[in-house]
Amino acid sequence: MASFSGIWVALVTPFNQHNVDFPALKRLAQHLLATGVDGLVVCGTTGEAAALDKEEQLAVLDAVLEVAPAHQVVMGLAGNNLTATLQMQQAIAQRDIAGVLVPAPYYIRPSQSGLVEYFTTLADASHVPVILYNVPYRTGVTLELDTLRQIARHPQVKAIKECGGNPDVTMALIDDGEIDVLTGEDNLILSTLCLGGTGAISASAHLYPERFVQLVQQVADGDLPAARANFYALLPMIRQMFSFANPAPVKAALAQQGLLRNELRAPMQTAPLALQQQIAATLAQLQPQDEAVSEIC
């Protein structure tokens, strides 16, 4: 049985006049869990963690844990100072959570052996499962397949969020069966599931999350025609969510749904007005007919 499977939403952090909007955060977390998603990833890239100080990150985690079961909450753990990252890991460890999502140390571009040492040190110190995050276009370094295989042998490393852009690596990790493979590229959710991956950590699944949950079940049931129809209906929205710097389009869409304010922390900017209008049109097309009727009434 997979430790990490299905749809995990890479949760945005709502703001209100530059401060974390904790009521909106908790409402959003409750809303998403009620749709059947498997869990929430707090303070990842989509959560603008780099724009939050450590106290704010822990406060965001605590707020989510007030409304979400611990086994459905993963916390982002990113940095390039190993000592500081270990200190943050110790602070996170005071909470009961499902795991930590850990990318390579950004900007410094360590060697592959340096990456093995970095992740091994964090995994040795972790009291919860570790999810690797391979995202070279943000960190500046690619976790190569041999490196990933070495790290995956650590008993505390349970999964990977794969955004490396190399399908051969994805397939090799799935075939190895050592860790759960979740895609972080939302346009690859269907193909990853069909290849045997366990799910996705998704930003676009904030929107119509029940459709993403349904997609996982359709593939599990072997109903590929239904899965394809569902996925290709979602694909225009998925593409829009990444047509401008994440999470600006997601926040624009959630604001249109009344779930939060359309606010990001500088230097991030809100999505252009033209894109916001396109998002509104796309969401209207995805809206179930009975829901649209009830809103009009």
Side-chain angles (χ1 to χ4, degrees):
M1 181 176 180
S3 300
F4 294 97
S5 61
I7 299 298
W8 289 69
V9 179
L11 193 66
V12 301
T13 302
F15 296 113
N16 187 346
Q17 297 182 357
H18 309 294
N19 297 312
V20 176
D21 188 343
F22 290 105
L25 174 65
K26 289 189 278 191
R27 286 195 304 270
L28 179 61
Q30 289 174 309
H31 161 73
L32 290 169
L33 291 174
T35 67
V37 300
D38 292 270
L40 307 171
V41 177
V42 180
C43 291
T45 304
T46 304
E48 297 175 75
L52 302 172
D53 63 35
K54 299 306 181 184
E55 290 72 23
E56 286 178 313
Q57 290 186 31
L58 292 172
V60 167
L61 175 60
D62 288 339
V64 173
L65 286 171
E66 287 181 23
V67 298
H71 71 275
Q72 290 184 285
V73 179
V74 163
M75 179 66 171
L77 177 63
N80 57 6
N81 179 312
L82 181 57
T83 299
T85 304
L86 284 166
Q87 291 172 347
M88 183 62 171
Q89 185 179 33
Q90 290 174 356
I92 293 170
Q94 297 175 23
R95 285 86 172 159
D96 184 18
I97 59 173
V100 288
L101 177 68
V102 185
Y106 50 83
Y107 186 76
I108 55 178
R109 301 177 67 188
S111 66
Q112 295 299 302
S113 61
L115 289 168
V116 172
E117 182 178 357
Y118 177 82
F119 281 103
T120 299
T121 300
L122 290 174
D124 283 345
S126 184
H127 299 293
V128 297
V130 172
I131 304 172
L132 308 177
Y133 186 9
N134 187 25
V135 58
Y137 53 81
R138 289 192 179 274
T139 63
V141 62
T142 298
L143 286 157
E144 297 175 0
L145 179 57
D146 287 346
T147 302
L148 288 168
R149 282 172 163 160
Q150 288 184 63
I151 300 168
R153 287 197 289 268
H154 194 288
Q156 202 68 328
V157 175
K158 301 297 185 182
I160 183 170
K161 177 182 179 182
E162 175 55 33
C163 297
N166 186 338
D168 289 334
V169 170
T170 300
M171 289 187 288
L173 292 173
I174 292 170
D175 188 42
D176 287 349
E178 292 290 330
I179 55 177
D180 298 326
V181 179
L182 302 102
T183 185
E185 301 289 352
D186 291 17
N187 63 331
L188 298 180
I189 293 176
L190 176 59
S191 57
T192 300
L193 289 169
C194 289
L195 287 168
T198 60
I201 297 177
S202 166
S204 60
H206 279 91
L207 309 170
Y208 295 98
E210 66 283 349
R211 297 279 296 270
F212 287 83
V213 173
Q214 183 184 46
L215 176 64
V216 174
Q217 190 60 51
Q218 288 165 335
V219 174
D221 292 341
D223 191 353
L224 295 185
R228 283 193 290 266
N230 188 8
F231 178 74
Y232 284 115
L234 290 167
L235 191 55
M237 179 273 289
I238 291 173
R239 287 173 172 159
Q240 281 182 339
M241 292 304 103
F242 298 97
S243 63
F244 192 75
N246 179 47
V250 175
K251 281 193 165 181
L254 292 172
Q256 291 173 13
Q257 295 181 336
L259 290 167
L260 47 70
R261 292 167 60 94
N262 188 16
E263 182 178 334
L264 296 90
R265 274 197 176 167
M268 299 297 290
Q269 296 183 324
T270 57
L273 181 58
L275 177 56
Q276 293 186 45
Q277 293 170 340
Q278 293 166 10
I279 290 170
T282 299
L283 295 183
Q285 292 177 349
L286 280 171
Q287 184 171 271
Q289 187 64 36
D290 56 347
E291 182 180 321
V293 171
S294 65
E295 288 186 2
I296 293 171
C297 296

